[in-house]
Amino acid sequence: MVTEKVNLTYKIGDLEVNRLGFGGMQLTGKGVWGEVPDRENGLKVLQKAVELGVNFIDTADSYGPYTNEKLIADALHPYKEGLVIATKSGLERPGPDNWVPNGDPSHIKKAIAGSMERLQVEQIDLWQLHRIDSKVPVRETLEPVIKAVEDGKIKYVGLSEVTVDQIKEVQDLLPIVSVQNRYNLGDREWEEVLDYTTENGLAFIPWFPLASGPDKMQEKIESIAKKHSATTAQIALTWLLKRAENILLIPGTKSLEHLEENIKATEIELTDSEFEALSK
């Protein structure tokens, strides 16, 4: 038996987006450091994503650092009406594969201004705190964010890698519309957070969405993929779309071929029994 069709759009506040978006992190150098090796191809991938219907793109000032936001602006500015760009701040980059939380208010204030300049926007659609810095009270970290919202520089605010208690603590300070935690078919550590966002009308944006789980799951996934003439990556994405209606997907790639393959995941419909088999 097949359930009713999965809804492929979601509203972040008043911004309606297609649930299969694009994550920019891979369009950088090795270790998420420096410029993407083939910049012309990077520009083409972003342009093709939008051409194929992507209207939600996720980036961060720390990707590069700074190069990814600029690449997005170079590829897509002036932005098509309805295209939502989400960015993040709160991590510093001393070197490749090195990420250090910095929740100092002066750093956050400067980061917001930097993102606006690189993205060439007067208002950031969705600004997300990349990490809560344990060395700085979150109330202090968010002071410049609250001011930026009041001043119209940020439309909506989200969080990344947070617990339910941390979400609630921040919700006491300002409205939150999204949470971005690691979650995929094989890694469901943040199940409780996903359930909280679903129940409370927040978007859940899983990063690393293409992981398809441990080896013991591969046979099951491959069998289902074969039935749908699909790849295991497409099945991993389709499972997430069916898992909860507030999940927004941001698979990233440097490949035009993989980009098209990812977007075609929206055409696959898992049956209830297939979904349950993968969910176990």
Side-chain angles (χ1 to χ4, degrees), residues 81 146 157 204 231 240 260:
E81 191 179 345
I146 293 166
V157 177
F204 186 84
T231 65
L240 284 165
E260 294 198 29

Side-chain angles (χ1 to χ4, degrees), residues 8-265:
L8 295 175
T9 61
Y10 184 80
K11 267 195 163 182
I12 302 172
D14 65 346
L15 304 173
E16 186 163 15
V17 296
N18 294 325
R19 289 177 60 204
L20 210 150
F22 182 85
M25 189 173 79
Q26 286 196 38
L27 295 178
T28 53
K30 192 177 178 186
V32 198
W33 186 257
E35 195 65 82
V36 62
D38 184 343
R39 200 169 194 276
E40 275 308 304
N41 177 69
L43 295 167
K44 281 179 189 167
V45 167
L46 286 161
Q47 289 160 354
K48 187 68 175 176
V50 172
E51 189 186 309
L52 291 170
V54 166
N55 64 353
F56 181 75
I57 294 176
D58 178 83
T59 182
D61 64 355
S62 57
Y63 298 166
Y66 313 130
T67 62
N68 196 247
E69 289 175 321
K70 185 147 190 346
L71 183 76
I72 287 167
D74 288 350
L76 302 172
H77 191 273
Y79 301 115
K80 185 177 177 179
E81 191 179 345
L83 178 62
V84 175
I85 312 277
T87 193
K88 300 180 286 295
S89 309
L91 287 176
E92 287 195 297
R93 300 296 310 284
D97 288 321
N98 201 344
W99 310 77
V100 180
N102 184 350
D104 185 277
S106 61
H107 171 76
I108 297 296
K109 182 181 178 182
K110 188 178 170 189
I112 292 166
S115 288
M116 289 175 70
E117 187 180 334
R118 286 182 294 275
L119 289 169
Q120 298 180 45
V121 293
E122 291 180 8
Q123 184 182 61
I124 295 169
D125 296 322
L126 173 60
W127 181 92
Q128 302 154 101
L129 180 60
H130 214 154
R131 290 294 182 278
I132 288 177
D133 184 350
S134 60
K135 301 184 295 299
V136 182
V138 72
R139 181 180 294 273
E140 288 179 25
T141 296
L142 291 172
E143 279 170 10
V145 181
I146 293 166
K147 179 75 167 65
V149 171
E150 287 170 356
D151 292 346
K153 293 176 180 178
I154 291 173
K155 188 172 179 74
Y156 296 117
V157 177
L159 300 170
S160 179
E161 284 300 281
V162 283
T163 64
V164 170
D165 285 345
Q166 286 173 324
I167 298 168
K168 288 176 178 175
E169 183 184 2
V170 173
Q171 283 178 313
D172 285 341
L173 304 171
L174 83 168
I176 296 300
V177 300
S178 66
V179 173
Q180 187 166 153
N181 281 20
R182 179 172 165 142
Y183 185 86
N184 53 58
L185 190 50
D187 179 358
R188 303 181 212 170
E189 179 191 348
W190 296 110
E191 200 88 56
E192 183 192 9
V193 172
L194 170 54
D195 289 342
Y196 178 84
T197 61
T198 308
E199 288 157 16
N200 289 274
L202 310 178
F204 186 84
I205 309 167
W207 58 273
F208 204 39
L210 285 169
S212 55
D215 291 342
K216 64 183 178 184
M217 287 183 71
Q218 291 309 306
E219 198 176 320
K220 197 187 287 181
I221 297 163
E222 282 165 14
S223 158
I224 291 169
K226 198 172 176 183
K227 281 183 200 167
H228 290 274
S229 303
T231 65
T232 55
Q234 285 174 322
I235 296 300
L237 293 174
T238 306
W239 180 84
L240 284 165
L241 287 171
K242 195 171 171 74
R243 168 62 184 84
E245 62 184 12
N246 62 318
I247 287 180
L248 305 183
L249 297 179
I250 49 166
T253 181
K254 290 184 173 83
S255 158
L256 285 163
E257 186 185 346
H258 286 157
L259 170 70
E260 294 198 29
E261 182 186 288
N262 290 341
I263 287 168
K264 279 183 180 164

